Amino acid sequence: MTAPAARLLLSELRWVFRRPRTLVALAIVSLVPVAMGIGVAVASGDTEGEFLINEAIGNGLVLPVAALAATMVLLLPLVVSMSAADALAGESAHGTMRALLLAPVGRVRLVAVKAFGVLAVATVAVTLVAAVGLVTGLLIIGNGDQFLTLSGTSLTTAEALSRIALLAVWVIFQMLGVGAVALAVSSVTEHPLVVMAVTIGSLILITVLSAIPALDWLHPVLLPTGWEAVADILRDPMPFDGLLESTYRAACYLLIGLSLSVARMVTRDA
């Protein structure tokens, strides 16, 4: 007898969001835009710093964009990789993987359920950063009646919110690429810390490789290569080339990561 899909998904969500470390990680990422907003408000007279932070000075609707750009480099991948590590490697570490493999669920279905849990964590984390950044920007920085772009034009609040929502969806998809790779690593080890170390260490290594001009030929296949396209949200008209290219790249990582996870779980001994 096969368990209903809705029951499996709800059970996974309860399991994921009852973990104290998941709740702590979500709380930490949600504090980032608050800290950035306070910093922008305090240092509003200083024109030095990152250009996205400078754009947020007096322009509160830019704060969620700056917060997503800052957290997607390290904090969001850390939260997603932690969720993927708990999904499979954590089950093995706690001795519950054997029961899952013997349950009437199906191994491909099991990977799909675990991937759904990673998606849920990524979605909640990105949504928290965007929502808290938006509220913080409007309350602390103000200027909520317009959205000043890098092109010098201003957008209405509705247009600004639609762009922030688009950026949030884009960041979620990028984090899914990271999560798929972490899930693949999680399927071959019983140590969650190994998954986090490999995933975050790989991102740091890729960042270093991206800064080496002699390795330009390698850059198009590196997942974080297109993440600088986050600034395109602040341009008018908004270019889609960078956003689409990075989305295609993340889709490739997502497909490869999930395929490796499925291949490992199908051949794994119970």
Side-chain angles (χ1 to χ4, degrees):
M1 181 178 180
T2 303
R7 180 180 176 183
L8 292 174
L9 296 179
L10 290 175
S11 176
E12 182 67 15
L13 288 180
R14 287 194 297 266
W15 176 252
V16 167
F17 290 106
R18 283 180 179 177
R19 296 189 188 113
R21 53 182 170 272
T22 300
L23 299 178
V24 171
L26 292 176
I28 290 175
V29 295
S30 65
L31 290 177
V32 172
V34 176
M36 293 178 65
I38 294 174
V40 169
V42 171
S44 59
D46 188 4
T47 58
E48 297 181 358
E50 295 291 337
F51 78 97
L52 284 179
I53 299 298
N54 290 335
E55 286 296 316
I57 296 177
N59 192 10
L61 289 173
V62 177
L63 184 62
V65 178
L68 286 172
T71 53
M72 74 178 296
V73 177
L74 184 59
L75 281 181
L76 287 176
L78 180 61
V79 174
V80 172
S81 63
M82 181 184 67
S83 176
D86 288 331
L88 295 177
E91 298 282 6
S92 298
H94 289 90
T96 54
M97 178 58 72
R98 181 178 298 273
L100 290 175
L101 294 178
L102 294 175
V105 175
R107 300 193 178 196
V108 176
R109 205 178 185 195
L110 174 61
V111 174
V113 170
K114 294 300 182 181
F116 175 78
V118 176
L119 168 63
V121 172
T123 301
V124 171
V126 173
T127 302
L128 278 174
V129 173
V132 174
L134 180 63
V135 173
T136 302
L138 295 179
L139 292 180
I140 297 181
I141 301 176
N143 196 29
D145 57 344
Q146 61 179 348
F147 180 93
L148 300 179
T149 67
L150 295 175
S151 306
T153 59
S154 60
L155 305 177
T156 64
T157 301
E159 292 172 329
L161 292 178
S162 65
R163 291 200 179 195
I164 295 171
L166 175 62
L167 177 61
V169 173
W170 178 79
V171 173
I172 290 173
F173 200 80
Q174 299 302 311
M175 292 303 105
L176 284 182
V178 176
V181 174
L183 201 62
V185 178
S186 183
S187 67
V188 298
T189 181
E190 297 181 356
H191 305 286
L193 288 179
V194 172
V195 180
M196 298 172 61
V198 170
T199 305
I200 301 303
S202 298
L203 286 176
I204 295 174
L205 176 60
I206 288 174
T207 302
V208 174
L209 295 178
S210 300
I212 302 177
L215 297 178
D216 287 345
W217 57 272
L218 184 61
H219 296 171
V221 300
L222 302 179
L223 178 59
T225 297
W227 287 359
E228 64 273 8
V230 63
D232 291 343
I233 294 293
L234 297 177
R235 306 187 192 280
D236 188 31
M238 183 173 61
F240 287 93
D241 293 345
L243 295 172
L244 290 176
E245 181 181 350
S246 57
T247 300
Y248 297 149
R249 187 180 298 109
C252 293
Y253 274 84
L254 179 62
L255 178 61
I256 294 173
L258 291 180
S259 299
L260 292 175
S261 299
V262 170
R264 169 57 180 163
M265 294 304 295
V266 168
T267 58
R268 186 166 183 167
D269 294 334

